[in-house]
Amino acid sequence: MAPLRFSANLSWLFPELPGLPARVRAAGSSGFEAVEVAWPYAETPEALARAAREAGLRLVLINTPPGDQEKGEMGLGAVPGRQAAFREGLEQAVRYAKALGCPRIHLMAGRVPQGADRIAVKAEMEAVFLENLRHAAGVLAQEDLVGLLEPINTRITDPQYFLDTPQQAAAILQKVGRPNLQLQMDIFHWQIMDGNLTGNIREFLPIVGHVQVAQVPGRGEPSSPGELNFPYLFQLLEDEGYKGFVGSSARVAVKMGELLNPPH
């Protein structure tokens, strides 16, 4: 049974530092062996690759670009009429992933359009998502990359997000039927939407390609007070044979290990 491996989620960690290269170096100094970042596109891939190399870190996850955030976009994968922009963003993400040696890309689904009824547009948005995912799977397969689908909770974090439960994401993955598309499990979102974490982890872990963690409800470090028992959840992931990385908002990697093996 292999111990869990943790990556520093630089979208949340070290915000006081200017620029991603500085955050990468800070993660290396804090004991991490890997990092992940939602959107690396403000930096050149060469600068990020150099920082990771100097810090002795791997970059294990990036997201596709969010689209036009001034217009409220947060991903484009399922958004009708934005297929061309999704594919352009995918090409950019693939370029960065190749330059950074990053094996996984989160293919962001995006939000239900403003003013639209979620139920009324669900079928159309799913059809767009399936079309884009089939295209993405082919592009990623050529580069030996994995695409991930992440449900984001619509109760607190993003009420308009299209993909919001592991059940919905798993059903879409089954319809696409491509082995290089997998599920991204953020325990924070799963707890808020459905709870039943033991059952859901056991059910969906075979198709999970990456895990992220944060405490509920405040989205703080796993060691902070909250609803979730992370020593239990980390042990469950180990017992179930999870071998990927766990993206963490904790500032020091050793703190994550202490949750599994607390001092006596």
Side-chain angles (χ1 to χ4, degrees), residues 86-229:
F86 170 80
R87 295 183 182 197
E88 290 174 7
L90 176 66
E91 291 177 4
Q92 184 182 21
V94 168
R95 286 197 301 273
Y96 269 73
K98 288 173 62 179
L100 295 167
C102 177
R104 299 169 199 85
I105 299 174
H106 168 203
L107 307 170
M108 299 194 72
R111 290 170 170 159
V112 174
Q114 287 288 340
D117 179 78
R118 175 181 291 273
I119 296 175
V121 300
K122 181 179 179 180
E124 180 186 9
M125 293 190 71
E126 182 173 302
V128 170
F129 204 19
L130 292 172
E131 173 193 342
N132 280 331
L133 289 175
R134 292 186 180 107
H135 169 79
V139 171
L140 296 173
Q142 293 177 3
E143 306 295 344
D144 197 25
L145 298 172
V146 171
L148 300 174
L149 276 61
E150 180 190 16
I152 294 175
N153 82 81
T154 49
R155 288 182 170 158
I156 297 175
T157 301
D158 195 336
Q160 292 298 112
Y161 205 74
F162 172 70
L163 192 70
D164 64 353
T165 68
Q167 291 83 2
Q168 181 191 11
I172 288 172
L173 286 171
Q174 186 172 27
K175 290 178 182 179
V176 178
R178 302 296 174 85
N180 67 326
L181 297 185
Q182 299 176 347
L183 184 60
Q184 181 171 320
M185 175 173 65
D186 189 322
I187 288 176
F188 171 82
H189 295 304
W190 287 28
Q191 167 69 3
I192 290 170
M193 288 304 295
D194 194 47
N196 187 31
L197 288 177
T198 298
N200 283 335
I201 288 171
R202 286 176 172 158
E203 178 179 357
F204 295 113
L205 197 62
I207 59 170
V208 167
H210 190 74
V211 173
Q212 293 176 326
V213 295
Q215 187 57 271
V216 177
R219 211 169 190 177
E221 296 188 8
S223 58
S224 63
E227 297 177 13
L228 298 180
N229 180 350

Side-chain angles (χ1 to χ4, degrees), residues 44-58:
T44 67
E46 293 79 15
L48 285 177
R50 183 168 57 252
R53 189 168 55 249
E54 291 172 352
L57 295 173
R58 285 183 283 175

